[in-house]
Amino acid sequence: MADTQTVETEPDKKQRSVRVVLLALMITMMLAMLDNMIVGTAMPTIVGELGGLEHLSWVVTAYTLATAAATPLWGKLGDMYGRKGVFMTSIVLFLIGSALSGMAQDMGQLIGFRAVQGLGAGGLMVGVMAIIGDLIPPRERGKYQGMMAGVMALAMIGGPLVGGTITDNWGWRWSFYINLPLGVVALGLISVVLHLPAKRAQARIDYLGAALLTVGITSIVLVTTWGGTEYAWTSARIMELIGIGVAALVGFLFWQTKAAEPVLPLHIFRSRNFTLMSIIGFITGFVMFGATLFLPLYQQSVQGASATNSGLLLLPMLGAMLVTSMVAGRVTTNSGRYYVFPVVGSVLMVVGLYLLSTMDTGTSRLTSGIFMAVVGLGMGCLMQITMLVAQNSVEMKDMGVASSSTTLFRTLGSSFGVAIMGALFNHRVQDTMAERGGELGSKVTEQSAQLDAKSLEKLPDAVREAYQYAVSAGTHSAFLLGSIVAVVALVAAVFVKEVPLKGAGPQKSADDAAPAPLVEV
């Protein structure tokens, strides 16, 4: 009788232990997503105390560069040496960078410490996705999509609110220190509950491939960050970076065919679904971060919304994304079918972005909220499905590389989206201000096409109206471009082949059953 009772409760124990691990993973995911949003709110205070306004952009750029460059390396190291140890190392590095950033005494130190923090951050999201890929079969993974989408929505809505509250009440240094208790909790849970087999690869790390990839990614991110802002797109510096980036990436691709243990095994791109999901992930990043940049700007400048609760302005989009992601996950888990979601999601994204491009100075908040919800519905169909299908398309030994590659493509997509849509927006705003605002209008946007609330209040009525018209014209161009780019995701989605998801379903036989989660209580 006692044996029977033990057998009956074993699934419950495993399920409970998986939930504890998932809690730790969601905390870590929150750390990765919250950081830039909290720090962004604190930046005016940081500059006021440390000075160095001319280096302000590097506080974000150093973090972004380090994160993008480190992402594929963390994924490969996890595949080679074991997921748990590599993941915990990335958390520790992130926490060290957070603590040092909080103790920075000048802008140069802060930039350097943010780079250390970014190196650790590159392994956080990859580690979360790869460990989930190890623990939970693809067929069952869909039910957890809502949890991941919820963390994402909470970070985007709550980040500015938390950042503002911390900065006002505790000081800007706590915008970094807040990571420490959360990170320690995540580390403790992972070290106690998560038990994955240790690995030891015989092959050496592909240092040359890692260096070439880092140079290539760094050049791309710098081009998209500096182009049209720090330097003209046709300047010698931008052309040099493009040349270095292209040369490094071509050399990287060539070397990956020769390396014994390549950083990014090119054979994973032989899978049609993996390649298509990489394309869709890139486009989703392009669109999503462009939308989250320009929607609050439009609502504040044109619709007169308050900047204090800027995260709440995106609630229609993020709420719709959360609900759709949960529904998509449940349907995928129950049916094992997923082809419809990339297709429907891409269609909704194209339509939603086109609707956003029709907004003008007379568009109501209700109307813009409905348009945002359409975009959110589309993103909810795509955000987690792309990772799930990508992981389902590779062998278990390549799970980390697949996770890091998908994350990297989404990150690069966001860099391109912000840069290209931003350049188009700025150009349109400045042209429109020159036409409608006259000489004063040109001077107003000479330094930046984005004005804060205080600057807007000081403008004469005629110039302010011209600026509102210019911003609506700029967002029209940016979102129309996003809609056109999203068509590429739709074309890619049409060619996705619905391959059965591994490991679940009541009908599966014992032979093709997925391995039990490697978790102990």
Side-chain angles (χ1 to χ4, degrees):
M1 180 69 70
D3 292 342
T4 303
Q5 184 66 27
T6 302
V7 171
E8 288 175 349
T9 58
E10 192 66 25
D12 294 335
K13 287 183 178 180
K14 283 185 177 180
Q15 188 68 24
R16 188 165 58 252
S17 60
V18 169
R19 286 174 181 164
V20 174
V21 172
L22 284 173
L23 173 62
L25 295 179
M26 292 305 107
I27 292 174
T28 310
M29 186 176 174
M30 178 75 77
L31 287 175
M33 300 203 66
L34 267 179
D35 187 79
N36 261 337
M37 296 184 178
I38 290 179
V39 173
T41 310
M43 282 312 300
T45 307
I46 294 173
V47 172
E49 182 173 327
L50 298 183
L53 179 61
E54 67 275 15
H55 303 304
L56 173 65
S57 62
W58 273 104
V59 176
V60 175
T61 302
Y63 180 90
T64 304
L65 275 176
T67 301
T71 293
L73 305 184
W74 286 113
K76 184 60 181 179
L77 289 172
D79 286 340
M80 292 177 67
Y81 298 108
R83 207 84 65 207
K84 179 178 177 180
V86 170
F87 182 51
M88 292 180 70
T89 301
S90 70
I91 295 176
V92 170
L93 187 59
F94 178 81
L95 295 181
I96 290 172
S98 298
L100 291 174
S101 296
M103 294 186 285
Q105 299 301 308
D106 57 51
M107 192 61 80
Q109 288 184 10
L110 180 59
I111 290 169
F113 296 150
R114 284 283 284 166
V116 174
Q117 192 184 17
L119 288 174
L124 299 186
M125 192 67 75
V126 172
V128 169
M129 295 302 178
I131 290 173
I132 288 176
D134 278 349
L135 294 180
I136 304 167
R139 176 74 180 268
E140 298 297 323
R141 214 171 292 154
K143 69 175 67 173
Y144 299 101
Q145 286 181 17
M147 188 185 300
M148 289 183 276
V151 169
M152 185 178 298
L154 184 62
M156 297 184 78
I157 294 171
L161 296 174
V162 172
T165 302
I166 290 174
T167 303
D168 291 342
N169 294 284
W170 298 347
W172 67 266
R173 296 183 186 277
W174 275 97
S175 62
F176 296 105
Y177 292 151
I178 193 67
N179 293 330
L180 301 181
L182 293 174
V184 169
V185 170
L187 274 175
L189 291 174
I190 290 168
S191 63
V192 172
V193 181
L194 179 64
H195 296 275
L196 295 172
K199 300 178 184 178
R200 182 66 189 177
Q202 299 300 315
R204 296 180 60 188
I205 297 173
D206 179 16
Y207 291 107
L208 178 58
L212 288 170
L213 182 60
T214 299
V215 171
I217 292 173
T218 300
S219 300
I220 290 173
V221 175
L222 284 177
V223 167
T224 57
T225 303
W226 284 348
T229 54
E230 298 285 329
Y231 303 96
W233 284 104
T234 55
S235 67
R237 178 61 56 87
I238 296 298
M239 292 298 106
E240 288 170 3
L241 285 171
I242 291 174
I244 292 170
V246 170
L249 292 178
V250 170
F252 169 76
L253 292 175
F254 173 77
W255 178 247
Q256 293 307 280
T257 63
K258 308 293 183 184
E261 194 67 47
V263 174
L264 184 60
L266 300 183
H267 67 79
I268 63 177
F269 291 97
R270 293 175 190 162
S271 165
R272 182 171 78 181
N273 276 4
F274 182 85
T275 302
L276 292 173
M277 287 302 129
S278 298
I279 294 171
I280 293 173
F282 180 92
I283 301 300
T284 304
F286 187 106
V287 167
M288 180 176 180
F289 285 89
T292 53
L293 175 66
F294 295 111
L295 280 172
L297 178 63
Y298 169 84
Q299 291 177 305
Q300 291 171 40
S301 300
V302 179
Q303 295 182 328
S306 168
T308 307
N309 300 325
S310 56
L312 297 176
L313 301 176
L314 299 173
L315 193 57
M317 183 176 76
L318 298 175
M321 185 177 75
L322 173 60
V323 172
T324 314
S325 185
M326 293 176 66
V327 172
R330 285 291 177 181
V331 171
T332 301
T333 296
N334 294 334
S335 67
R337 312 300 292 272
Y338 56 81
Y339 175 81
V340 66
F341 294 113
V343 175
V344 171
S346 299
V347 169
L348 288 171
M349 199 159 63
V350 171
V351 172
L353 287 165
Y354 175 76
L355 291 173
L356 288 176
S357 75
T358 64
M359 296 190 303
D360 55 27
T361 54
T363 303
S364 67
R365 292 190 188 182
L366 175 62
T367 302
S368 61
I370 293 172
F371 294 168
M372 281 191 281
V374 175
V375 176
L377 292 173
M379 289 182 180
C381 291
L382 295 173
M383 287 299 292
Q384 305 303 331
I385 287 290
T386 52
M387 180 66 74
L388 185 147
V389 177
Q391 291 179 335
N392 190 61
S393 304
V394 302
E395 298 177 37
M396 187 64 76
K397 67 182 180 65
D398 292 322
M399 186 67 69
V401 167
S403 302
S404 63
S405 299
T406 307
T407 304
L408 176 62
F409 280 114
R410 188 176 295 171
T411 301
L412 293 178
S414 68
S415 294
F416 276 91
V418 170
I420 297 174
M421 293 172 77
L424 187 63
F425 172 85
N426 291 339
H427 181 73
R428 185 72 187 273
V429 168
Q430 288 168 347
D431 283 354
T432 306
M433 284 296 285
E435 292 173 7
R436 288 180 158 256
E439 186 176 346
L440 179 57
S442 296
K443 287 182 179 180
V444 165
T445 57
E446 192 173 26
Q447 297 298 320
S448 174
Q450 301 179 28
L451 304 181
D452 57 26
K454 290 182 180 178
S455 300
L456 275 175
E457 290 174 1
K458 296 176 182 177
L459 296 177
D461 291 343
V463 177
R464 188 187 307 115
E465 288 177 7
Y467 181 72
Q468 290 174 337
Y469 182 86
V471 168
S472 66
T475 52
H476 164 78
S477 298
F479 288 127
L480 188 60
L481 172 65
S483 180
I484 294 170
V485 171
V487 173
V488 177
L490 176 57
V491 173
V494 169
F495 288 98
V496 170
K497 182 180 180 182
E498 191 166 65
V499 178
L501 294 174
K502 301 168 187 173
Q507 295 86 3
K508 69 175 187 283
S509 65
D511 292 336
D512 56 340
L518 298 167
V519 183
E520 297 172 9
V521 181

